[in-house]
Amino acid sequence: MGEQPIFSARAHVFQIDPATKRNWLPASKHAVTVSFFYDASRSVYRIISVGGTKAIINSTITPNMTFTKTSQKFGQWADSRANTVYGLGFSTEQQLQQFAEQFKEVKEAARLAREKSQERFELANPALNIAAPELSQELSEERHSPPLLTVNGPGEEKLFRSKSAEVELTAEKERVKKMLSEGSMCEINLEAELFTLQDSNSKLVEALQEANSSVDQWKQQLAEYQEETDRLRDQVAELEAQLGHPAAGQTAREELSRTLKELETLLSAKDQEIHNLQSKKTDVGELEKEKEESMQRLEDLERQNGDLADRVQSAEKTLASSREEQDQSEAEVKRIINVLDVKICDLNDLRHSLAKLIDK
């Protein structure tokens, strides 16, 4: 029995840049279907997403994985086996919450499936089904002992129990947390919103191209209708000329008049449809303008950050210069005070001298 899908959602898929470990790289140009699958034959849960003929996500869920919501519409998880971090950008906060809850449920199911698989392995392995209490106690202690390699001898089974995988996963988890903490959540959100905007823009452009092709077809039909109308009018004129009096072609003229009215009604309807399609062009132009404004705001923010950094450096230099001037001023004040003290002492001596002269 093959894998069965248990949950699906539409999202933009990203992967962490392996070079910088900070920026996100888009794995899909548009929103794609991301599904949870369950393989009953192996008791394995996987997240799979296919873009065209290429699998852009193939992540086996383990109990050690954690799905983290970094914004209202963006979430991520680390896959140590694939040595990458996946990011998903959803169109609504509700879709993100549903995916996070499904991830949590599947993670718990994977944990239970692993425990059951370990129990079946222990029951099926003859080396673990020994009736002696002493050996049973040794095996129980061995489950909680440090990693070791047990060799029972030639031709017998070897039991390898190691926690190196768990240690490696823990170290990988800490490394991913550190790597993600260094990134800018604002940049991630802006990139996700930008790719969502580009997706909407591309869809509108495709719709506009289809509408333009329809407009060309309708214009061609209008030209054919006009040619048919002119031809019919020429035929009416020829019939009137051949019959010599207008009364003979009265019925034909009435039919032609009705046909002309129907054609004029059809032409007015086509003109209205063309007008509606031209109004859609304005919507696409507004969307393009909004995208340019977003890019301009992003550039303005970066420029403002640079200006603020320059102002901080200038303020630090000014503060250092002010402190130096203050130190110089304090030294000058102390010097003046010392000079005043000397002058006061001289004045006191002079007073004493004058007093002595006066007494004499």
Side-chain angles (χ1 to χ4, degrees), residues 22-290:
R22 294 182 61 181
N23 299 326
W24 289 107
L25 299 177
S28 61
K29 295 182 179 179
H30 310 290
V32 296
T33 301
V34 182
S35 303
F36 289 86
F37 282 84
Y38 174 63
D39 188 351
S41 61
R42 298 189 300 162
S43 298
V44 172
Y45 293 87
R46 291 197 299 167
I47 299 177
I48 297 176
S49 179
V50 179
T53 58
K54 179 182 177 182
I56 56 180
I57 297 180
N58 186 3
S59 178
T60 302
I61 300 177
T62 64
N64 297 321
M65 287 184 176
T66 300
F67 184 80
T68 305
K69 293 187 288 184
T70 57
S71 67
Q72 292 182 349
K73 300 179 182 180
F74 196 87
Q76 62 192 37
W77 79 95
D79 189 341
S80 59
R81 296 184 179 180
N83 193 25
T84 188
V85 180
Y86 293 104
L88 298 180
F90 295 89
S91 59
T92 63
E93 185 177 357
Q94 182 181 3
Q95 292 179 354
L96 172 61
Q97 182 64 27
Q98 291 176 352
F99 189 91
E101 293 175 356
Q102 187 65 36
F103 193 100
K104 184 178 180 181
E105 293 177 3
V106 172
K107 172 184 172 182
E108 180 64 19
R111 184 185 66 81
L112 296 176
R114 174 177 288 186
E115 291 179 355
K116 290 181 181 180
S117 177
Q118 290 178 350
E119 290 177 359
R120 288 196 299 267
F121 173 76
E122 292 174 356
L123 293 175
N125 196 332
L128 301 178
N129 294 329
I130 300 176
E134 294 83 5
L135 187 54
S136 177
Q137 182 177 1
E138 291 178 359
L139 291 175
S140 177
E141 293 175 353
E142 183 182 355
R143 292 190 180 96
H144 304 283
S145 63
L148 54 85
L149 179 66
T150 302
V151 180
N152 295 328
E156 298 181 357
E157 295 183 358
K158 301 178 180 180
L159 302 177
F160 179 75
R161 297 181 175 275
S162 176
K163 295 182 180 178
S164 59
E166 296 181 1
V167 173
E168 181 180 354
L169 289 175
T170 302
E172 180 68 16
K173 185 176 180 181
E174 294 297 330
R175 184 181 68 82
V176 170
K177 284 183 178 180
K178 182 179 179 182
M179 174 184 64
L180 294 177
S181 64
E182 296 175 353
S184 173
M185 291 300 103
C186 180
E187 293 179 357
I188 292 173
N189 295 336
L190 285 175
E191 289 178 356
E193 291 177 2
L194 179 59
F195 280 104
T196 303
L197 187 61
Q198 289 177 347
D199 183 29
S200 301
N201 187 23
S202 62
K203 290 181 180 179
L204 285 176
V205 170
E206 291 176 359
L208 182 60
Q209 290 176 352
E210 294 178 358
N212 287 334
S213 62
S214 300
V215 168
D216 294 336
Q217 293 177 359
W218 291 334
K219 286 182 178 179
Q220 185 178 359
Q221 290 179 359
L222 288 175
E224 293 175 356
Y225 291 153
Q226 290 175 353
E227 291 177 359
E228 182 69 16
T229 301
D230 295 336
R231 187 180 63 81
L232 291 174
R233 285 177 179 174
D234 294 338
Q235 288 180 357
V236 170
E238 290 176 0
L239 288 173
E240 289 179 350
Q242 291 175 0
L243 293 174
H245 54 85
Q250 185 68 28
T251 304
R253 284 200 301 271
E254 291 178 355
E255 293 179 356
L256 289 174
S257 298
R258 286 196 299 270
T259 303
L260 289 174
K261 289 180 179 179
E262 293 176 356
L263 289 173
E264 289 176 354
T265 303
L266 182 60
L267 287 174
S268 62
K270 296 297 182 180
D271 288 336
Q272 184 64 32
E273 292 179 357
I274 292 173
H275 179 71
N276 295 333
L277 290 173
Q278 289 177 347
S279 65
K280 288 184 178 180
K281 291 183 179 179
T282 305
D283 297 337
V284 174
E286 292 177 354
L287 185 61
E288 186 69 23
K289 182 178 179 181
E290 183 180 354

